[in-house]
Amino acid sequence: MAVLTSRASPPALPRPFWMLWLGTVINRTGAIVQPFLSVYLVQVQGFTLGQTGAVMTAFGVGSLLSHLLAGWLTDRLGRRLTLTGGMLATSAAMVVLGAASGFLAVAATAFLLGLTIESYRPASQAMVADLVPPALRPRAYGLLFWGMNLGYSVAMVAGGWFADHGAHGMFGVNAAVAVAFAAVVWRAVPESRPAEAALGGVRLRAVLRDRLMLAVCAVTAGYGALYAQAFTTLPLAMAEQGVDRTRFGLAMALNGVLIIAVQPLTGAWMARRDPNRVLAAGTAVVAAGFGLTAFVHDARGLALTVAVWTAGEIVIAGTLPTIVAALASPELQGTYAGVSGMSWSAGAVLAPVIGTALLPLGPETLWSGIGLIGAASALGALLIGGPVRRRTSTDHSRTSSI
């Protein structure tokens, strides 16, 4: 009977992971400033579109650097201190930005907010690598991704209400949930950095010399440039096809619905597959979904393509951090996670540049070009699979023999 039970249910994830998951959901539920920041700048601050774009660029640059800085601090100071400190700094930046006025003050504060708002990601990714056995990491990272989307679906509704009824209030709400996240982690999640990691030096150049990790970053950046089209070029392209904002929003809502409904069911399946092959297959599916957009002329067709690339996104969610965690040594888990996050953000920054350059050439050229970027990333993921497997299996053998 005991054997049947162990086969029927997957191994339990440790309690500290679930407290980290809870804090992440709380934080994302109140993460209402970022999606509506541009609306706030125009409608409340009275900024021009040019000024709004400059402020959002300052925020984006800060966010890009946030991954690298937080990853380094995660290994230098510890996971728990970096995460809680980053969330408290985020809370303070939220309050200051909500009170700031004038272009220069708002732009400077937006940069500081960007520098802190993503600081929890490398720390939480390193915590999972520390707390969860390798075989369970795809499930754990997938559940974190699911929790983020679960919270984000609430945040979009709440943020829309605040944007219409009291925009300044959203800064206070976002600041409060950041403090709550910090409190949950500080009280319920112990420091997970291995003792031997604290004795080692943290050097960014060690990551930059890792050619295999750089190859993973190239794949990640390509995927970021592919996926971010959903929020940059896709709305513009669908407007040209006559899909109004309401129908576009309903079609895009399918992305969140599918993630919430399907993601928790994929954990056991993911754990039995090679992460690199899963990454390649998922990226190819996302690329196919965006490529099919060339034939979309209405909201129904858009919903179908959204369903396709969401399926690939669900598959990928737990694999990238699993691969990065497997490549990193214990003393560099945070730094590797930070470099990986920065590469994804770099791809996302390039997404509107690529998309808007291809948009005037017509939908066939646009989405074929985007699809080719995804196909190249999928091929890259497949090609690095062998080296990743050889390196991680060698590391595992060494660890087992000690």
Side-chain angles (χ1 to χ4, degrees):
M1 183 65 69
V3 174
L4 291 176
T5 302
S6 64
R7 288 179 180 175
S9 58
L13 293 166
R15 184 178 183 276
F17 165 80
W18 286 113
M19 299 310 296
L20 175 64
W21 181 88
L22 175 63
T24 301
V25 173
I26 292 172
N27 180 57
R28 294 294 288 177
T29 299
I32 56 180
V33 168
Q34 186 174 352
F36 297 95
L37 182 56
S38 59
V39 176
Y40 166 80
L41 294 174
V42 172
Q43 295 184 354
V44 178
Q45 290 286 351
F47 288 175
T48 65
L49 291 179
Q51 289 175 318
T52 298
V55 171
M56 295 303 295
T57 299
F59 177 87
V61 171
S63 179
L64 191 67
L65 297 175
S66 176
H67 294 278
L68 198 60
L69 176 62
W72 181 81
L73 290 174
T74 293
D75 292 328
R76 186 77 175 182
L77 304 179
R79 288 51 160 142
R80 187 171 70 153
L81 183 59
T82 300
L83 194 153
T84 54
M87 286 297 94
L88 293 177
T90 298
S91 179
M94 286 284 179
V95 172
V96 174
L97 181 57
S101 60
F103 172 72
L104 291 179
V106 171
T109 312
F111 171 78
L112 293 177
L113 179 61
L115 195 61
T116 60
I117 198 169
E118 299 290 343
S119 59
Y120 73 94
R121 290 183 184 269
S124 62
Q125 187 170 328
M127 278 181 168
V128 173
D130 298 337
L131 296 168
V132 178
L136 298 180
R137 285 175 188 166
R139 178 180 169 218
Y141 286 125
L143 286 170
L144 271 183
F145 171 77
W146 177 66
M148 289 180 185
N149 280 274
L150 186 65
Y152 188 71
S153 63
V154 177
M156 290 300 290
V157 177
W161 186 89
F162 276 104
D164 290 336
H165 296 88
H168 285 289
M170 67 182 182
F171 292 95
V173 171
N174 212 146
V177 297
V179 171
F181 187 15
V184 169
V185 170
W186 189 256
R187 290 185 61 87
V189 182
E191 176 54 59
S192 63
R193 182 179 59 169
E196 64 271 18
L199 302 177
V202 179
R203 294 184 176 92
L204 177 61
R205 62 175 174 268
V207 185
L208 300 180
R209 289 174 179 171
D210 187 342
R211 293 183 179 179
L212 189 52
M213 179 58 190
L214 294 180
V216 171
C217 288
V219 171
T220 304
Y223 175 64
L226 167 70
Y227 181 79
Q229 299 299 328
F231 311 102
T232 55
T233 313
L234 186 60
L236 300 174
M238 289 301 98
E240 289 188 356
Q241 295 295 323
V243 179
D244 60 41
R245 293 181 181 179
T246 300
R247 290 188 175 89
F248 179 82
L250 289 173
M252 290 296 290
L254 184 61
N255 172 255
V257 171
L258 288 175
I259 289 172
I260 292 171
V262 177
Q263 181 69 43
L265 306 177
T266 64
W269 182 88
M270 294 279 294
R272 297 193 298 268
R273 266 73 185 175
D274 175 70
N276 292 277
R277 293 192 179 103
V278 171
L279 175 60
T283 304
V285 172
V286 175
F290 280 102
L292 288 172
T293 311
F295 307 102
V296 168
H297 304 290
D298 55 30
R300 289 184 180 180
L302 175 61
L304 177 61
T305 61
V306 169
V308 173
W309 55 256
T310 298
E313 179 188 6
I314 290 172
V315 168
I316 290 172
T319 57
L320 268 174
T322 297
I323 293 169
V324 172
L327 293 177
S329 56
E331 67 273 14
L332 289 174
Q333 283 289 346
T335 306
Y336 269 65
V339 171
S340 174
M342 187 175 181
S343 64
W344 194 97
S345 296
V349 169
L350 288 174
V353 178
I354 297 170
T356 53
L358 294 176
L359 184 61
L361 304 179
E364 292 82 6
T365 302
L366 167 64
W367 298 115
S368 295
I370 298 302
L372 285 175
I373 293 173
S377 295
L379 179 60
L382 200 59
L383 291 175
I384 64 175
V388 170
R389 284 190 292 274
R390 287 193 292 272
R391 178 161 140 187
T392 53
S393 63
T394 301
D395 292 345
H396 178 70
S397 299
R398 289 175 180 172
T399 303
S400 300
S401 63
I402 293 175

